[in-house]
Amino acid sequence: MDDHAIVAITDPQGKITFANNKFCAISKYSRAELMGQDHRIVNSGHHSKEFMHDMWATITQGRVWKGEIKNKAKDGSFYWVQSTLIP
């Protein structure tokens, strides 16, 4: 994997099963803090319900979703990521 890419893998229930060093660095969570947590741990609350619904509908239909997501780091700061979500 590209060392510059942020990579996180979740199980079907949305629990984090893998986070690379870049994801840990940008989210400011340690790998141990992320493992087993719901992916919403970095949810910023910025996006509308419609945005989130459309994103998850795409993924649950087995399609790839691409777009920008505003996330929230452990220290409360925000960061934007260009994301590709693959079911």
Side-chain angles (χ1 to χ4, degrees):
M1 289 257 158
D2 184 344
D3 291 336
H4 301 291
I6 298 166
V7 179
I9 299 172
T10 67
D11 67 13
Q13 290 74 41
K15 303 293 183 199
I16 298 170
T17 60
F18 174 82
N20 74 347
N21 291 337
K22 188 70 172 179
F23 184 82
C24 294
I26 198 166
S27 71
K28 300 179 182 166
Y29 285 99
S30 70
R31 187 169 285 105
E33 290 174 309
L34 290 168
M35 292 303 99
Q37 292 294 322
D38 189 281
H39 66 87
R40 292 182 190 107
I41 192 170
V42 294
N43 187 335
S44 68
H46 171 79
H47 301 284
S48 69
K49 288 181 182 179
E50 294 80 15
F51 175 92
M52 298 303 287
H53 177 269
D54 291 346
M55 180 181 71
W56 286 108
T58 299
I59 296 165
T60 58
Q61 293 169 8
R63 299 184 328 219
V64 173
W65 182 89
K66 293 183 179 187
E68 274 194 314
I69 300 175
K70 183 178 183 179
N71 285 335
K72 186 176 179 181
K74 181 180 177 179
D75 68 358
S77 62
F78 296 98
Y79 61 95
W80 286 91
V81 290
Q82 184 66 35
S83 299
T84 301
L85 305 178
I86 303 168

